[in-house]
Amino acid sequence: MTRVVSLYFPTWPTDRLRRAMGQSAPSAETPVIMLGRQGNRRLVLAADAAARAAGLRVGMPASKAQVLVPNLQSFDLDAAGDAEALDRMALWSLRYAPIVAADPPDGIIIDTTGADHLHGGEDTMLEGLVSRMAGSGIEARAAVADTWGAAHACARFLARPTFIAPVGQAPAIMRGLPIGALRLPHDIVEGLLTLGFERVGEIEAAPRASLTLRFGPELGRRLDQAMGRRSEPFEPARSPELIEVRRAFGEPIGAAETIARYTGKLVATLCEALEAKGLGARRLDLLLHRVDNRIEAIRVGTAVPVRDVKRLTRLLTDRIETVDPGFGIELMTLAATLAEPFGAKQIISSLVEEPEPDITDLIDVLANRIGEQRLYRFAPVESDVPERSVRRIAPNAPDDGSSWPGDWPRPPRLLTHPEPIETMALLPDHPPVWFSWRGVRRRVTRADGPERVFGEWWQRDAELIAVRDYFQVEDESGERFWIYRAGDGEDPGTGSHKWFLHGVFA
């Protein structure tokens, strides 16, 4: 099932104007509009949030807008500059999926079919898109649906700031939206409103022939595209500096073995081009153009720059099973959408030296299956507080030489949050004689401790006198646990004196 993301910029291109002007830009409270000519009339073609709150709208005569808002800031619309900026943003969005295109005048369209899991799922991906845009000073809304038309409509009428249309529910959602959601020209929308149509569902239920006779084929085409009854291909955005190779076929191909064979040939040609420029691939996009104008895509990434033909071919061919060739594939393109300088590295310096193990191949296989964000390893952090002494880093991140203290062993399984337990201890400095955790009572047979851990007083005032006394305990079955008492057992100011289980030893 195809999944398409529509990224909508409601205050575009005024956001671009503010970014371009920098420090000299009007304040956020100052209404800003963009003006342009349509025939002999000078109209408002874009307005920011402050201008819309003041009652201005797109399509209003410029003279009327300037009368209604005395402190209004107006600028001439730069259509060419806005289109170029949208194209650049589309190229930036290639990090999310291999098929991306500008959706003028105020959006971007992304085909994320089969790529959302690489970014933590659709909800995480949309939130990341919106937050990244907000960090750049651009207001954005994002929606995902089964078709370009449905995603476009949901982003503009339902996203606050994100919206996810369940798979297969795009037609039902579209029927409840205003007719302006169909991406129709303004005159057709006005004509439909004059006839009494308000919702998309009303148009779908009306006789198609009479509407086509009056408004032309555009109305039916947009309706079918939004409902998924007609395909709507778009040309992916590509940078002129992109390293790309392609293969066209006189007769369409469809067998998985044939696709794999030509994929290997494309990889070999691409690696030659990368070698000529001293680069290695970090991300590859394989686009398969079907005879019905639909594009199937495969994206793979690597942990380090690579131009090993066999390795890259294996990563791509492992994903061929996700490709639906339809009635055949007539064109294949392979692009290194992310390439970095390829540094040569000496494997061994002598005949007796053992080569350093290279696990980046395994990292690539796992990352392309489950997603790069879900693959990590733990690294030590200089902190006495156990839950703060570890952090997640990339699996191939270099080792900075730091390690955990070796005086007291730490459990390999550390709970995310310490869990309360019931205990009985004879003296404050003694370990418990038994404890109850998750409904199971355990008698302590061996124990070691206490290890006193102080709070980080330089981080928070509440930790000035806070302490924990940790014990390693073993129960009758031989299982070992890491437990602690919050406080020193005497002064109430040092902690609650309750007991917690914080980790489990192997």
Side-chain angles (χ1 to χ4, degrees):
M1 175 61 71
T2 302
R3 298 293 279 175
V4 180
V5 170
S6 177
L7 195 60
Y8 166 54
F9 310 120
T11 53
W12 184 269
T14 56
D15 285 343
R16 186 182 78 85
L17 174 70
R18 292 181 186 275
R19 284 174 51 83
M21 296 181 66
Q23 298 294 333
S24 61
S27 65
E29 294 78 15
T30 304
V32 175
I33 61 173
M34 308 289 287
L35 304 177
R37 289 192 175 277
Q38 289 187 357
N40 295 326
R41 304 177 63 192
R42 189 169 173 80
L43 305 176
V44 177
L45 300 183
D48 68 352
R52 295 182 182 184
L56 305 185
R57 59 179 178 82
V58 175
M60 176 182 291
S63 57
K64 182 178 180 180
Q66 292 167 343
V67 170
L68 290 176
V69 183
N71 63 333
L72 183 65
Q73 291 273 346
S74 61
F75 301 88
D76 289 333
L77 185 71
D78 181 11
D82 296 335
E84 182 182 354
L86 274 182
D87 289 338
R88 290 198 303 269
M89 293 173 67
L91 292 175
W92 173 87
S93 301
L94 280 170
R95 65 187 63 193
Y96 288 93
I99 305 178
V100 179
D103 188 13
D106 53 14
I108 293 173
I109 201 74
I110 309 172
D111 188 339
T112 60
T113 305
D116 58 286
H117 73 283
L118 299 175
H119 307 283
E122 291 181 340
D123 51 351
T124 303
M125 179 176 60
L126 294 187
E127 291 174 3
L129 273 167
V130 172
S131 61
R132 282 175 177 266
M133 291 297 173
S136 300
I138 299 175
E139 181 185 354
R141 300 175 190 169
V144 60
D146 299 336
T147 65
W148 177 357
H152 183 279
C154 291
R156 285 151 180 79
F157 291 89
L158 297 177
R160 297 294 183 272
T162 63
F163 181 83
I164 299 177
V167 176
Q169 297 299 313
I173 294 173
M174 286 297 302
R175 292 185 183 103
L177 295 180
I179 58 176
L182 286 177
R183 297 178 293 163
L184 295 169
H186 181 71
D187 56 340
I188 295 181
V189 174
E190 291 295 329
L192 291 170
L193 292 174
T194 303
L195 293 177
F197 292 101
E198 295 182 355
R199 302 288 171 181
V200 174
E202 298 172 359
I203 298 176
E204 187 180 28
R208 176 70 65 91
S210 58
L211 291 177
T212 303
L213 183 63
R214 178 158 187 166
F215 297 105
E218 179 75 1
L219 176 58
R221 183 171 66 88
R222 288 300 191 191
L223 181 63
D224 290 340
Q225 288 172 345
M227 298 299 183
R229 295 190 289 262
R230 177 182 292 188
S231 63
E232 188 176 7
F234 55 90
E235 186 67 24
R238 284 290 182 264
S239 170
E241 294 82 16
L242 196 67
I243 301 176
E244 184 179 36
V245 294
R246 58 178 54 205
R247 179 67 178 261
F249 304 100
E251 292 292 335
I253 63 173
E257 297 81 3
T258 307
I259 297 174
R261 184 170 68 254
Y262 284 105
T263 298
K265 294 180 179 180
L266 287 175
V267 171
T269 305
L270 183 70
C271 287
E272 292 177 359
L274 291 170
E275 184 177 5
K277 295 189 176 183
L279 300 174
R282 285 293 311 278
R283 185 172 64 224
L284 292 180
D285 288 343
L286 177 63
L287 303 185
L288 303 103
H289 300 253
R290 304 189 338 185
V291 294
D292 59 357
N293 287 332
R294 183 175 169 181
I295 302 176
E296 296 286 322
I298 297 176
R299 162 167 287 186
V300 298
T302 60
V304 295
V306 176
R307 57 172 184 244
D308 185 333
V309 175
K310 291 184 178 180
R311 179 170 169 179
L312 295 177
T313 301
R314 184 176 68 253
L315 291 176
L316 289 168
T317 53
D318 283 347
R319 301 285 307 280
I320 285 181
E321 60 184 13
T322 64
V323 172
D324 178 12
F327 294 106
I329 296 169
E330 60 182 359
L331 175 67
M332 292 174 60
T333 62
L334 179 64
T337 51
L338 179 61
E340 295 179 357
F342 187 87
K345 184 177 70 171
Q346 184 173 345
I347 299 178
I348 56 175
S349 58
S350 67
L351 296 177
V352 296
E353 183 179 350
E354 290 291 334
E356 182 180 351
D358 184 8
I359 63 170
T360 57
D361 194 5
L362 175 62
I363 293 173
D364 294 343
V365 173
L366 296 176
N368 286 288
R369 288 181 180 176
I370 66 175
E372 184 178 356
Q373 295 181 346
R374 298 174 62 184
L375 198 64
Y376 56 85
R377 65 182 178 90
F378 291 110
V381 178
E382 293 184 359
S383 175
D384 290 332
V385 182
E387 60 266 31
R388 301 176 192 163
S389 63
V390 65
R391 61 190 174 99
R392 295 180 179 183
I393 62 174
N396 62 315
D399 189 359
D400 59 3
S402 58
S403 62
W404 287 286
D407 298 336
W408 291 87
R410 293 290 186 258
R413 180 191 173 192
L414 191 69
L415 302 183
T416 305
H417 301 286
E419 298 184 9
I421 57 176
E422 297 179 3
T423 65
M424 185 182 71
L426 299 179
L427 293 173
D429 288 341
H430 285 201
V433 295
W434 62 265
F435 69 93
S436 179
W437 176 51
R438 296 183 178 178
V440 178
R441 182 166 173 166
R442 305 172 186 270
R443 189 171 71 86
V444 176
T445 58
R446 294 183 179 86
D448 190 12
E451 175 194 358
R452 178 156 292 183
V453 174
F454 293 89
E456 296 179 339
W457 52 266
W458 59 92
Q459 299 282 357
R460 295 189 302 172
D461 292 341
E463 299 185 21
L464 281 171
I465 58 175
V467 297
R468 295 178 184 174
D469 283 342
Y470 279 87
F471 293 87
Q472 302 174 46
V473 298
E474 182 178 326
D475 66 2
E476 295 174 303
S477 63
E479 295 184 77
R480 296 187 300 147
F481 304 90
W482 205 38
I483 64 176
Y484 74 87
R485 180 188 59 237
D488 60 5
E490 298 178 355
D491 184 2
T494 60
S496 64
H497 292 163
K498 294 182 179 180
W499 287 83
F500 299 86
L501 189 145
H502 203 170
V504 179
F505 288 93

